[in-house]
Amino acid sequence: LIIMVAAVATAVVGGMDPVAFLDTLGESFVSNRSMCIFIMTFVITGTLERSGLRQAAAALIRKLKNASAGMIVSAYGVVRVLFAAFNVNFGGVAGFIRPVVMPMEQAAVERDGKKIDEKHLEELKGVSAGIDNVAWFFGQVLFIGGSGGLLVQGTLAGLGYDVSLADLAAVQVPVAVLAMLAAIVYYNLID
């Protein structure tokens, strides 16, 4: 509502007629339509949760007798960084951690009738969000056409270094591997 009021006020002050305003608004929406994907994520996630996604994720982990919260978050981190290397984002914290990973971790902790306390649950939330951030941050720079690589290339070009995106991605591979290993070791120590 605030954005629309600001847009209308700007159009009125700028002397735009209603047809030109709607044309500009439509062009802006079409050129930036991917910005609205988060709305679909909320609707899809909510629908899946109402249909039992959290319970199904927890039931899956209860079947795996040796799975720990650290193992689950580590496996998620590896999958997340691999997908990020190809610039495939499948939901992040809101779309995947909360409805899938967290119930799996909680089920692993609560196995054999144990009940998780609030402090431990908050710690699991932090660990899950942390691995998601590490994996996405270091994985997305591996994608040659990604914004992270372009940012680094542009920054280096401004400093007088001409570097190709392929060379940047090649240099980033060991950095991403070490970052993921450090995160996995750290989160398993917390576990």
Side-chain angles (χ1 to χ4, degrees):
L1 181 62
I2 292 170
I3 293 170
M4 284 306 296
V5 169
V8 169
T10 303
V12 169
V13 170
M16 262 186 162
D17 64 271
V19 174
F21 170 69
L22 291 174
D23 186 46
T24 303
L25 188 65
E27 285 177 20
S28 297
F29 180 77
V30 169
S31 64
N32 295 304
R33 64 185 170 267
S34 63
M35 297 299 287
C36 293
I37 288 179
F38 76 92
I39 295 170
M40 290 184 347
T41 301
F42 290 137
V43 171
I44 291 169
T45 302
T47 303
L48 289 173
E49 282 190 28
R50 188 178 324 134
S51 300
L53 178 64
R54 293 175 65 87
Q55 292 79 9
L60 174 68
I61 291 305
R62 284 189 197 103
K63 291 178 184 177
L64 303 173
K65 296 297 178 196
N66 295 326
S68 69
M71 291 170 59
I72 294 164
V73 80
S74 299
Y76 171 73
V78 169
V79 170
R80 179 79 161 140
V81 79
L82 291 174
F83 275 82
F86 295 100
N87 204 33
V88 177
N89 189 357
F90 52 85
V93 175
F96 204 78
I97 293 286
R98 184 181 173 279
V100 178
V101 177
M102 280 302 302
M104 291 175 144
E105 288 181 277
Q106 192 169 351
V109 172
E110 292 180 340
R111 184 175 288 122
D112 302 325
K114 299 177 204 168
K115 188 68 180 160
I116 192 169
D117 65 2
E118 190 64 31
K119 183 178 183 283
H120 194 172
L121 184 61
E122 291 300 316
E123 196 171 73
L124 284 178
K125 289 177 185 177
V127 165
S128 300
I131 197 76
D132 187 74
N133 287 335
V134 170
W136 183 248
F137 179 82
F138 288 100
Q140 72 177 340
V141 181
L142 297 175
F143 182 66
I144 291 180
S147 58
L150 293 171
L151 174 66
V152 172
Q153 183 186 39
T155 303
L156 290 175
L159 296 172
Y161 298 99
D162 185 33
V163 182
S164 73
L165 289 172
D167 290 339
L168 283 175
V171 168
Q172 181 60 24
V173 169
V175 174
V177 169
L178 288 174
M180 285 306 300
L181 285 175
I184 287 170
V185 167
Y186 177 69
Y187 293 141
N188 276 282
L189 286 174
I190 289 174
D191 184 42

